[in-house]
Amino acid sequence: MVSKVNMAVDFGGVKMKNPINTASGTFGYGWQFSELMDVSQLGAITTKGCAAEPWPGNPAPRMAEVRGGMMNSVGLQNPGVAAFAAQSGPWLDELSQKGTQVICQVAGHSTEEYVRALEMFCELCPWAAGFEINVSCPNIAAGGIACGSTPEGAGDVMRACRKVTDKPLFVKMAPVRIPEIARALEAEGADGLSVINSIPGMAIDVHTRRSKLSKPTGGLSGPLCHPIAVRMVWEAANAVDIPINGVGGVMTGEDAAEFILAGATCVSVGMANLVDPTASVRILAELEAWAESQGVNDINELIGALEC
């Protein structure tokens, strides 16, 4: 059934046929879901982050269920850009030709590592519509502090990466100091922002007195984070003119609609993919139904339409 509402959006130069994206790390490299759903229905997918060289990730256990969400300490395990391009590139190229945009996430532990990985992506993945820089990675040179935890650190990474490519560059933001870091990223040439990454937390097994993960802390995600993410999307949208991708606890079309009303141009489905592998296409249908119920002709009319 054809929607009565135009669902196409422009996320910082990446023209999406609808606002539904997938959150990096929860959708693999896309092809893992291809026998469960028609991935080409989505506006975009964001692939799991890759670095210039393979990363082994953290030891198990790396995921734990908590009330209202989940904890993870995967450690950005990835095969490296070269292996990713060889293994997943042909399928992703075909997906892009079907009209679903492919955004590749770039990982690194330092500005130099981000730049090297991005250079490899640009060389080996010509089908990529844009790149998402994950500035929540720990910066080895700064003693393990996340690269994007300060305006200066985030700005340094963005400035260096901007010199590598003219393709759209987005930044996956840590859930800290959103307005000021967003302004710093915009000033250094970011085309859009993904708000937010998982929230640092802890989950303790009270019977063993040990962390439920192999590390003491991990990233908290899921529905319980959604109201925080909506607030941070609203803060970012009020701080900058570049578009926002809302990320955090999207389980239904109404969750996605909240992000759009708060100022997001598009939204990413994350933990819901792990609960129901077909969640993103259901959420798209629910979002379309909501947009029709609002009596608009174009979903862009609803971006930032919150009435205070």
Side-chain angles (χ1 to χ4, degrees):
M1 182 176 177
V2 178
S3 174
K4 298 177 183 177
V5 178
N6 173 37
M7 297 295 286
V9 297
D10 185 338
F11 179 46
V14 173
K15 299 185 185 305
M16 299 167 56
K17 57 190 172 185
N18 61 66
I20 300 299
N21 188 6
T22 58
S24 176
T26 66
F27 206 70
Y29 302 114
W31 54 263
Q32 292 92 339
F33 288 72
S34 61
E35 294 186 4
L36 303 171
M37 57 173 280
D38 181 5
V39 180
S40 69
Q41 291 185 47
L42 305 180
I45 70 168
T46 302
T47 60
K48 192 178 189 310
C50 284
E53 301 296 332
W55 288 4
N58 293 329
R62 306 197 296 189
M63 298 176 69
E65 189 173 349
V66 297
R67 283 193 298 273
M70 61 169 285
M71 299 280 300
N72 93 84
S73 180
V74 173
L76 278 168
Q77 176 184 346
N78 71 87
V81 176
F84 157 74
Q87 296 163 3
S88 301
W91 188 88
L92 290 168
D93 187 8
E94 183 178 345
L95 179 67
S96 69
Q97 293 178 38
K98 294 178 181 178
T100 295
Q101 303 283 23
V102 179
I103 299 170
C104 294
Q105 191 187 85
V106 183
H109 287 128
S110 65
T111 299
E112 293 74 21
E113 287 189 19
Y114 284 111
V115 167
R116 177 57 183 144
L118 181 57
E119 289 173 340
M120 293 178 69
F121 270 118
C122 292
E123 177 186 353
L124 300 174
C125 306
W127 35 262
F131 305 99
E132 180 182 83
I133 313 299
N134 181 2
V135 297
S136 298
C137 298
N139 186 338
I140 294 174
I145 299 172
C147 295
S149 61
T150 66
E152 297 78 15
D156 286 346
V157 173
M158 187 64 234
R159 187 182 313 113
C161 289
R162 185 72 281 172
K163 296 175 183 178
V164 174
T165 180
D166 291 330
K167 280 193 173 183
L169 290 180
F170 313 113
V171 180
K172 184 71 168 286
M173 293 185 68
V176 295
R177 303 173 66 178
I178 292 292
E180 56 185 316
I181 294 176
R183 285 190 285 265
L185 291 166
E186 181 181 42
E188 296 296 349
D191 295 293
L193 306 173
S194 291
V195 182
I196 56 175
N197 212 328
S198 57
I199 299 171
M202 292 184 73
I204 299 172
D205 185 326
V206 298
H207 301 289
T208 64
R209 293 181 283 173
R210 292 180 176 275
S211 171
K212 292 184 179 180
L213 302 169
S214 62
K215 301 286 186 179
T217 64
L220 180 64
S221 60
L224 79 172
C225 298
H226 183 66
I228 298 171
V230 170
R231 187 257 297 176
M232 290 186 173
V233 163
W234 177 75
E235 289 178 340
N238 281 281
V240 298
D241 293 325
I242 54 178
I244 311 298
N245 172 36
V247 191
V250 174
M251 306 295 287
T252 68
E254 289 194 358
D255 293 334
E258 276 193 275
F259 273 140
I260 289 172
L261 290 173
T265 294
C266 57
V267 303
S268 287
V269 179
M271 195 195 88
N273 295 313
L274 307 179
V275 177
D276 171 11
T278 66
S280 53
V281 291
R282 170 182 55 79
I283 291 168
L284 171 59
E286 293 171 354
L287 183 65
E288 289 179 342
W290 168 76
E292 288 185 12
S293 76
Q294 298 302 299
V296 300
N297 295 317
D298 191 316
I299 197 164
N300 289 277
E301 298 176 49
L302 297 168
I303 297 172
L306 172 68
E307 298 178 4
C308 296

